[in-house]
């Protein structure tokens, strides 16, 4: 009720002689009239008088005011007759139903949630002022999507029992597009270069997907900060955004943005000094300073420096260390000197580590990943490492670590680890398609956190025209408290090379069972050891090469292998799918031991490293080497263990597995040596620089396999490709796109061979769809 109406009602109460007794009186009874939904007891609870008590003018006024204040009633009257107080009310209608028509841009549930936050919801009392606020909230939601021509009309329909239905009729209209962005006042950089820093843009060939051509106030604010950082990182310390104007065309379909800037002069760094209480050798802190005298000032380097010094002090227990960079500008010489004042604060200890949010995962599973110890000095590095390890588990949507001070102390903090769990079990049935295998059907059942213990259990079926795999595996990542893992595997793997037109025909069917151990050396290095027993059946054909039939003649079509596997790996990449820095190194050995009928070994080595060139560009270098051979009385590597090269995962532009020795028909045999190298430059897809699911690359690939044989016209070995030679490497170059789609990763490449030789099989366009690569 408005203030005017309340004043009027009180005036009526105080001036109507029928409302009050001339003198105070004792209440004999209280009656409530006019209520339909509200309980009489609710009304009684707001009255300042009860039966047997004295009724006065002041209490009457207080009663009316209290009942109006509930918001339940639009009219309240109080009368007194022969000692009986009669309260007559007229209830406000309640909202029985809220409907929205014409909604396409949003889901109705999302809009109703926003309306509820304004106070308008089903079951609540209707207030006309709230209805106006609701219309404004709906309009705001549409304005945020660039729909400035939206029209919203609300309608009330009375229902029985003093209820109403509220309907919002929405005519959304089309989204206004950014037609022009102007930057005024720039001299050092061209407008075109500055606009590259903006996420907001005019319509382009991909803006239908990114929606970046629709005006958003928050997005523009972020663009302005990005522009500010661009200038400050290039020495323009006095850069300022003077004003930003946003105008809309009369038809509400076009947005025009003008940003007025003052660049100021470019500054160079003249000196950088340390001051304050450092508590760490000054020489050690100076190594962390990336801002150098004589260089153009860059704010990001200064921020990096202050953070590095704070983190270094944090590693020694100074949780609240503060480093302030105080500039001293020489505006005549356009130089700036910085003094880094170091305030370490008090050294603190960790009192307790508290874990919360884990309703399913056991406390011990979380705590064993935390590297900070209770009772020890606070260590910022160990806390950050703990957060990374918890995120890598894959059990949680969010990991938040806070370090509040312990109340009543000056040198203690608690470490509060808060997690938000996510589903760790999955049942998947899917299909994919690759240019080499065709249709691939797959299905899996897995639980990565069995009963909250952190153990992993999975069963998988993968069916392709070349590779068919059925597997069951179990892993306990903490078989010992030191992080030694134990796992078991059962599998069947069928390989049908007859469906690859460019690879020599054969089939194998392998059954295997094994156990494996993983041993962490440190936080980055990991060693694994495994022992597996395999039985393999080989099928050759009349058109199979002599090398295959010779192997079957010498060793039989059925053989077994007691296989020993070992590997060492180091992985410091910051992301699995889209890394921008870090490296992945792996060395592995597979040995057929004397416990089986086949004796051989295979060695592989891989080094992959990512270098961030800028915010948008990342350089990747990858090198792989492989070598295998028989030993003892077995002078050859089993042919179905051969290495292959060519295809989407090695040398693009050449058909899968075709680079290397060939049989008399020109089909690939594979080899016992493999060399692959890749140089790849990753960058955002034009128009989608902030999309985290899509990126593009330009690449150069090289590689081939080598072996002790190649068939001549008579089918005998002719000795070609017997050893590695740079002349036999193949090269290709092209572009690729990786998209993490709702169906799984999609990998496309368009490559042109640069060093094609006679007999090579090329494939310019290659792709893989689904979770099979």
């Amino acid at each position: 009720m408005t203030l005017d109406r309340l004043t009027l009602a009180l005036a009526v109460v105080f001036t109507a002689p029928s409302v009050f007794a001339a003198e105070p009186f004792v209440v004999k009874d209280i009656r409530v009239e006019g209520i339909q939904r509200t309980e009489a007891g609710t009304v009684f609870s707001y009255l300042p008088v009860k039966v047997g008590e004295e009724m006065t003018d002041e209490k009457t006024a207080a009663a009316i005011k209290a009942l109006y204040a509930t918001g339940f009633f639009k009219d309240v009257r109080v009368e007194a007759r022969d000692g009986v107080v009669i309260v007559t009310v007229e209830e406000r209608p309640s909202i029985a139903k809220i409907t929205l028509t014409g909604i396409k841009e949003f889901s109705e549930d999302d809009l109703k949630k926003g309306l509820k936050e304004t106070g308008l919801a089903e079951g609540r009392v209707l207030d006309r002022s709230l209805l106006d606020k609701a219309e404004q909230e709906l309009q705001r939601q549409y304005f945020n999507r660039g729909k400035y021509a939206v029209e919203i009309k609300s309608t009330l329909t009375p229902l029985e029992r003093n209820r109403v239905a509220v309907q919002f009729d929405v005519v959304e209209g089309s989204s206004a597009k950014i037609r022009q962005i102007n930057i005024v006042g720039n001299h050092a950089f061209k407008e075109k270069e500055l606009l590259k820093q903006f996420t907001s843009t005019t319509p382009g060939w991909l803006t239908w997907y990114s929606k970046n051509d629709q005006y958003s106030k928050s997005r523009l604010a972020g663009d302005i900060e990005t522009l500010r950082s661009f200038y400050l990182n290039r020495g323009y310390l006095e850069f300022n955004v003077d004003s930003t104007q946003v105008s809309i065309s009369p038809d509400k379909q076009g947005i025009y943005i003008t940003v007025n800037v003052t660049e100021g002069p470019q500054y160079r760094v003249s000196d950088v000094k340390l001051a304050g209480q450092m508590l760490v050798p000054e020489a050690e802190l100076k190594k962390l300073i990336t801002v150098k005298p004589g260089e153009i000032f860059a704010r990001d380097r200064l921020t990096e420096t202050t953070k590095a010094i704070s983190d270094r002090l944090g590693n020694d227990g100074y949780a609240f260390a503060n480093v302030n960079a105080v500039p001293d500008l020489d505006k005549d010489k356009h130089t700036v000197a910085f003094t880094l004042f170091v305030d370490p604060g008090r050294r603190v200890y960790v009192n307790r580590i508290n874990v919360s949010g884990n309703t399913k995962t056991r406390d011990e599973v979380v705590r064993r990943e935390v590297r900070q110890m209770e009772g020890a000095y606070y260590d910022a590095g160990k806390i950050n490492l703990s957060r990374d390890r918890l995120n890598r588990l894959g059990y949680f949507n969010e990991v938040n670590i806070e370090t509040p001070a312990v109340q009543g102390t000056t040198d203690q903090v608690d470490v509060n680890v808060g997690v938000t769990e996510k589903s760790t079990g999955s049942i998947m049935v899917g299909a994919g398609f690759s240019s080499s295998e065709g249709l691939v059907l797959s299905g899996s059942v897995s639980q990565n956190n069995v009963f909250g213990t952190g153990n992993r259990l999975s069963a998988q079926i993968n069916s392709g025209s070349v590779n068919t795999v059925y597997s069951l595996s179990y892993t306990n990542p903490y078989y010992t408290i030191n992080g030694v893992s134990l796992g078991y595997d059962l599998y069947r793997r069928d390989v049908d090379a007859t469906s690859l037109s460019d690879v020599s025909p054969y089939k194998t069917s392998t059954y295997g069972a094994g156990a494996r151990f993983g041993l962490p050396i440190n936080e980055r290095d990991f060693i694994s050891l495994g022992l597996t027993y395999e039985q393999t059946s080989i099928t050759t054909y009349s058109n199979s090469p002599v090398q295959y039939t010779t192997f079957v003649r010498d060793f039989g079509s059925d053989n077994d292998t007691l296989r020993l596997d070992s590997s060492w790996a180091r992985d410091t990449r910051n992301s699995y799918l889209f890394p921008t820095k870090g490296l992945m190194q792996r060395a592995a050995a597979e040995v057929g031991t004397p416990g089986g009928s086949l004796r051989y070994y295979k060695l592989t080595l891989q080094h992959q490293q990512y270098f961030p060139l800028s915010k948008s560009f990342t350089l990747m270098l990858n090198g792989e080497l492989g070598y295998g051979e028989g030993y003892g009385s077995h002078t050859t590597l089993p042919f179905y263990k051969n290495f292959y090269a060519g295809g989407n995962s090695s040398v693009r532009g050449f058909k899968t597995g075709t680079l290397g020795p060939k049989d008399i028909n020109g089909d690939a045999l594979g080899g016992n040596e493999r060399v692959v190298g890749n140089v790849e430059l990753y960058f955002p897809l034009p128009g989608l620089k902030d999309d985290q699911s899509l990126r593009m690359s330009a690449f150069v690939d090289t590689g081939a396999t080598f072996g002790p044989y190649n068939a001549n016209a008579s089918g005998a070995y002719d000795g070609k490709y017997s050893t590695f030679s740079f002349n036999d490497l193949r090269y290709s170059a092209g572009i690729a796109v990786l998209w993490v789609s709702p169906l799984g990763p999609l990998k496309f490449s368009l490559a042109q061979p640069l060093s094609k030789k006679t007999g090579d099989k090329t494939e310019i366009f290659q792709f893989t769809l689904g979770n099979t690569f």
Side-chain angles (χ1 to χ4, degrees):
M1 183 175 185
T2 64
L3 181 60
D4 290 341
R5 293 186 64 187
L6 178 58
T7 303
L8 178 60
L10 290 176
V12 171
V13 170
F14 283 113
T15 58
S18 61
V19 174
F20 301 100
E23 298 293 337
F25 64 93
V26 176
V27 178
K28 297 178 181 179
D29 192 14
I30 300 175
R31 296 207 307 261
V32 179
E33 297 179 354
I35 56 175
Q36 299 180 54
R37 299 182 318 277
T38 309
E39 295 290 337
T42 302
V43 178
F44 292 146
S45 67
Y46 286 96
L47 296 178
V49 66
K50 295 180 175 56
V51 174
E53 295 181 352
E54 186 178 64
M55 186 67 169
T56 64
D57 291 352
E58 290 77 10
K59 289 184 178 180
T60 302
I64 294 174
K65 187 175 180 180
L67 290 173
Y68 268 121
T70 64
F72 299 155
F73 314 109
K74 63 180 180 181
D75 193 19
V76 177
R77 288 179 294 137
V78 177
E79 296 177 325
R81 296 176 186 172
D82 299 328
V84 178
V85 175
I86 302 172
V87 181
T88 305
V89 298
E90 184 180 349
E91 292 179 322
R92 295 182 185 276
S94 67
I95 301 173
K97 186 178 182 182
I98 297 177
T99 58
L100 299 102
T101 63
I103 302 296
K104 297 178 182 177
E105 187 73 15
F106 301 91
S107 73
E108 188 170 338
D109 290 340
D110 289 342
L111 289 181
K112 284 186 176 180
K113 184 178 179 181
L115 293 178
K116 188 174 183 179
E117 292 175 358
T118 67
L120 195 74
E122 294 175 0
R124 292 187 180 181
V125 174
L126 176 65
D127 188 327
R128 286 282 185 176
S129 63
L130 291 179
L131 197 61
D132 294 336
K133 288 178 63 178
E135 290 185 6
Q136 293 172 10
E137 170 62 18
L138 289 175
Q139 191 177 62
R140 186 188 67 81
Q141 295 277 9
Y142 276 98
F143 282 3
N144 286 341
R145 295 286 181 93
K147 291 185 177 291
Y148 293 96
V150 63
E151 296 179 6
I152 301 171
K153 181 181 179 182
S154 59
T155 305
L156 299 179
T157 304
L159 301 175
E160 71 280 0
R161 301 200 319 273
N162 199 24
R163 298 180 304 153
V164 292
V166 181
Q167 179 170 314
F168 293 94
D169 297 306
V170 180
V171 179
E172 294 184 333
S174 56
S175 298
K177 307 293 185 182
I178 299 175
R179 299 301 176 189
Q180 193 172 18
I181 304 177
N182 295 316
I183 298 178
V184 179
N186 57 300
H187 303 289
F189 303 98
K190 293 181 179 180
E191 185 179 66
K192 183 178 180 181
E193 183 177 359
L194 298 178
L195 289 179
K196 289 180 180 179
Q197 312 306 315
F198 281 48
T199 302
S200 303
T201 183
T202 53
W205 67 289
L206 278 175
T207 53
W208 63 269
Y209 174 78
S210 67
K211 309 295 185 185
N212 289 338
D213 59 349
Q214 296 180 9
Y215 170 72
S216 167
K217 184 177 181 180
S218 58
R219 184 190 296 137
L220 180 60
D223 291 337
I224 295 300
E225 286 306 310
T226 302
L227 181 65
R228 192 186 310 278
S229 296
F230 176 85
Y231 271 95
L232 290 175
N233 290 337
R234 287 158 180 77
Y236 293 87
L237 268 171
E238 296 181 294
F239 172 80
N240 186 54
V241 177
D242 300 321
S243 64
T244 303
Q245 293 94 33
V246 179
S247 59
I248 187 168
S249 61
D251 62 358
K252 298 183 179 180
Q253 298 300 304
I255 300 292
Y256 298 85
I257 301 172
T258 302
V259 180
N260 296 282
V261 303
T262 300
E263 292 179 330
Q266 188 180 53
Y267 282 80
R268 289 184 176 271
V269 178
S270 60
D271 191 20
V272 182
K273 296 183 295 183
L274 286 166
Q277 189 179 6
M278 285 166 272
L279 301 180
V280 173
E282 186 172 346
E284 185 176 346
L285 294 184
K286 283 185 175 181
K287 293 179 182 179
L288 302 176
I289 299 176
T290 58
V291 182
K292 304 297 182 182
E295 294 181 347
I296 294 173
F297 168 72
R299 186 178 67 171
D300 54 354
R301 289 190 181 180
L302 184 63
T303 303
E304 178 184 311
T305 296
T306 57
K307 184 178 184 303
I309 294 175
S310 296
D311 289 347
R312 174 62 186 87
L313 291 169
N315 293 344
D316 283 353
Y318 298 94
F320 307 110
N322 189 27
V323 181
N324 289 320
V326 179
D328 181 13
L329 273 66
D330 187 330
K331 294 190 176 183
D332 295 329
K333 297 181 180 180
H334 298 156
T335 59
V336 57
F338 287 98
T339 301
L340 304 178
F341 287 94
V342 181
D343 178 14
R346 187 182 294 272
R347 196 177 193 186
V348 299
Y349 300 81
V350 172
N351 175 48
R352 289 185 59 84
I353 296 175
N354 305 307
V355 179
S356 63
N358 54 320
T359 57
K360 181 178 67 174
T361 306
R362 298 178 183 178
D363 264 19
E364 64 186 62
V365 175
V366 178
R367 289 181 178 276
R368 68 193 184 192
E369 303 297 334
V370 177
R371 292 303 182 253
Q372 174 70 61
M373 297 290 107
E374 292 180 346
Y377 282 127
Y378 170 94
D379 191 324
K382 290 182 178 179
I383 289 177
N384 291 331
L385 178 60
S386 302
R387 182 185 293 107
D388 292 341
R389 290 182 64 89
L390 287 169
N391 277 319
R392 284 201 296 263
L393 287 177
Y395 304 161
F396 311 113
N397 280 321
E398 185 179 355
V399 176
N400 183 38
I401 300 181
E402 297 178 344
T403 56
V406 177
Q407 191 172 3
T409 69
T410 59
D411 61 352
Q412 294 183 38
V413 296
D414 285 334
V415 176
N416 296 334
V417 182
V419 299
T420 303
E421 290 187 312
K422 67 179 180 181
S423 176
T424 55
S426 64
I427 300 176
M428 294 189 298
V429 178
F433 194 89
S434 76
S435 51
S436 61
E437 294 200 43
L439 181 66
V440 179
L441 301 176
S442 63
S444 66
V445 179
S446 65
Q447 173 53 262
N448 292 331
N449 189 12
V450 179
F451 305 121
T453 62
N455 299 338
R456 296 187 289 271
L457 178 66
S458 67
Q460 183 176 11
I461 297 175
N462 203 49
S463 175
S465 61
V466 178
N467 294 283
T468 303
V469 179
Y470 307 90
S471 67
L472 178 67
S473 65
Y474 172 82
T475 304
N476 180 351
Y478 274 84
Y479 179 65
T480 71
I481 60 173
N482 295 323
V484 175
S485 65
L486 172 64
Y488 304 98
D489 300 288
L490 290 171
Y491 60 89
R492 173 183 171 179
R493 182 173 61 248
D494 296 333
V495 177
D496 183 1
T498 60
S499 60
L500 291 173
S501 59
D502 302 303
V503 175
S504 298
Y506 73 93
K507 285 185 180 181
T508 62
S509 182
T510 302
Y511 294 84
R516 49 191 158 74
F517 287 91
L519 298 87
I521 302 175
N522 51 44
E523 298 295 346
R524 297 181 177 181
D525 299 279
F526 194 81
I527 289 178
S528 64
L529 298 170
L531 189 64
T532 303
Y533 178 74
E534 287 185 339
Q535 285 189 331
T536 302
S537 296
I538 307 170
T539 302
T540 56
Y541 301 88
S542 58
N543 60 339
S544 296
V546 62
Q547 293 84 357
Y548 295 1
T549 56
T550 300
F551 181 88
V552 172
R553 182 197 65 197
D554 294 343
F555 300 101
S557 59
D558 296 296
N559 49 66
D560 61 353
T561 305
L562 186 61
R563 197 183 79 214
L564 177 65
D565 297 287
S566 63
S567 68
W568 162 82
R570 169 178 289 182
D571 192 347
T572 65
R573 295 175 297 176
N574 61 345
S575 172
Y576 176 71
L577 281 175
F578 291 150
T580 57
K581 63 180 180 180
L583 60 83
M584 192 277 288
Q585 295 173 311
R586 188 173 186 273
E590 176 185 330
V591 180
T593 68
S597 59
L598 297 179
R599 301 180 187 180
Y600 69 92
Y601 61 90
K602 287 180 71 175
L603 307 176
T604 57
L605 178 65
Q606 180 181 15
H607 180 96
Q608 185 179 85
Q609 191 155 1
Y610 293 83
F611 302 90
L613 304 181
S614 69
K615 182 180 178 181
S616 301
F617 290 85
T618 301
L619 179 67
M620 186 276 289
L621 302 179
N622 179 67
E624 300 176 38
L625 299 174
Y627 182 81
E629 192 60 88
Y631 68 92
S633 60
H634 298 231
T635 58
T636 183
L637 180 72
F639 71 87
Y640 54 86
K641 295 285 186 178
N642 279 351
F643 295 103
Y644 290 88
N648 215 12
S649 60
S650 56
V651 186
R652 287 158 282 194
F654 294 90
K655 285 192 174 182
T656 300
T658 60
L659 297 182
K662 296 177 175 60
D663 65 11
I664 193 172
N665 299 315
D667 294 331
L669 293 166
N672 69 322
E673 299 175 14
R674 182 176 188 261
V675 176
V676 170
N678 313 95
V679 178
E680 199 152 2
L681 180 66
Y682 293 100
F683 50 90
L685 205 64
L688 294 174
K689 65 179 181 180
D690 291 326
D691 194 298
Q692 300 300 311
S693 64
L694 257 171
R695 76 172 176 179
M696 198 171 181
S697 68
F699 61 83
V700 175
D701 294 339
T702 184
T705 59
F706 305 85
Y709 46 73
N710 203 46
N712 58 23
S714 63
Y717 299 170
D718 65 4
K720 291 183 180 180
Y721 289 90
S722 58
T723 57
F724 168 78
S725 170
F726 282 105
N727 293 330
D728 291 324
L729 290 175
R730 304 295 193 270
Y731 298 87
S732 68
I735 58 175
V737 175
L738 177 60
W739 177 29
V740 183
S741 75
L743 299 176
L746 285 82
K747 187 177 182 181
F748 304 90
S749 66
L750 192 65
Q752 176 62 46
L754 301 178
S755 59
K756 179 183 175 184
K757 294 191 177 183
T758 303
D760 284 346
K761 308 293 177 64
T762 61
E763 194 170 57
I764 305 301
F765 176 70
Q766 295 172 321
F767 67 94
T768 308
L769 166 64
N771 295 309
T772 59
F773 68 96

